[in-house]
Amino acid sequence: KTPSNDTNKQSKTGQIYGIIGGLAQNSMAISTAGLSSQYNGISLAVAGFLDKPLSESLIMRAKGGLLQYAVKSGDAGGSFTYLDFEGSLNWYITKSFWIGGGGAFLLTASKSNNIPRLDASSTTNSFFFVGLGANISSGPSNFIPISVDYALFPGGGRISVNSLLIRGGYGWLF
């Protein structure tokens, strides 16, 4: 059983809500016609989330918020802010720890780009992620969710984009 399921017995709705923030280590590699460039950066994310238990060990998590993606190399760089909508399935391997995976749909809220050979004209993006995390109990009806996720943005053969996200927050029952 997960702590979420234990506390769910006291919840009126059977759902758990919370806020989560994070830090992302971003990486982008572009290769075209013999030229190769590497860009790196750090950015922030904030979101609200909803956990819905599907069984005693499987929980569906939905998130919505803002996600930044920023990379730079020398004078060239790009910064993108997205409205982020994520969904994942988390399987609890112990009472508190889980492994999971999911996907995200991103709508561009703002962007700035001067990276050569990068077409940033699209207004949407997406990524897939795998991760692990824990819900650390902080009281009878609240907890601290933490997670580490590896996100891979689908792209063409010439562009490779990924992020390592470290997130933490606060969750409670309603």
Side-chain angles (χ1 to χ4, degrees):
K1 277 188 175 179
T2 68
S4 301
N5 286 341
D6 290 343
T7 54
N8 248 356
K9 293 176 185 174
Q10 301 167 13
S11 173
K12 293 177 185 173
T13 64
Q15 297 171 342
I16 299 169
Y17 300 85
I19 56 172
I20 197 161
L23 189 65
Q25 172 63 48
N26 306 313
S27 176
M28 177 186 295
I30 302 175
S31 299
T32 56
L35 299 172
S36 181
S37 321
Q38 181 70 37
Y39 302 88
N40 296 297
I42 295 176
S43 57
L44 301 172
V46 65
F49 71 87
L50 162 70
D51 281 356
K52 179 68 176 168
L54 301 177
S55 72
E56 283 198 18
S57 62
L58 190 64
I59 291 185
M60 177 179 61
R61 177 170 282 180
K63 285 188 275 217
L66 288 175
L67 174 73
Q68 293 179 318
Y69 184 88
V71 291
K72 187 171 180 149
S73 179
D75 292 335
S79 178
F80 305 86
T81 300
Y82 295 105
L83 294 175
D84 174 30
F85 304 97
E86 297 180 31
S88 64
L89 289 176
N90 300 333
W91 175 58
Y92 281 79
I93 54 177
T94 70
K95 186 174 180 175
S96 298
F97 296 96
W98 55 264
I99 58 173
F105 178 73
L106 308 170
L107 289 171
T108 304
S110 69
K111 61 185 168 184
S112 168
N113 175 42
N114 68 351
I115 297 175
R117 305 180 316 274
L118 177 65
D119 178 11
S121 60
S122 177
T123 59
T124 63
N125 208 336
S126 62
F127 65 82
F128 302 99
F129 61 93
V130 294
L132 55 96
N135 289 344
I136 301 166
S137 179
S138 62
S141 63
N142 47 39
F143 64 97
I144 298 168
I146 57 171
S147 67
V148 176
D149 298 316
Y150 177 74
L152 183 61
F153 291 72
R158 65 179 199 87
I159 298 177
S160 171
V161 181
N162 59 63
S163 289
L164 181 65
L165 298 117
I166 299 170
R167 307 184 210 204
Y170 190 76
W172 60 93
L173 304 175
F174 281 100

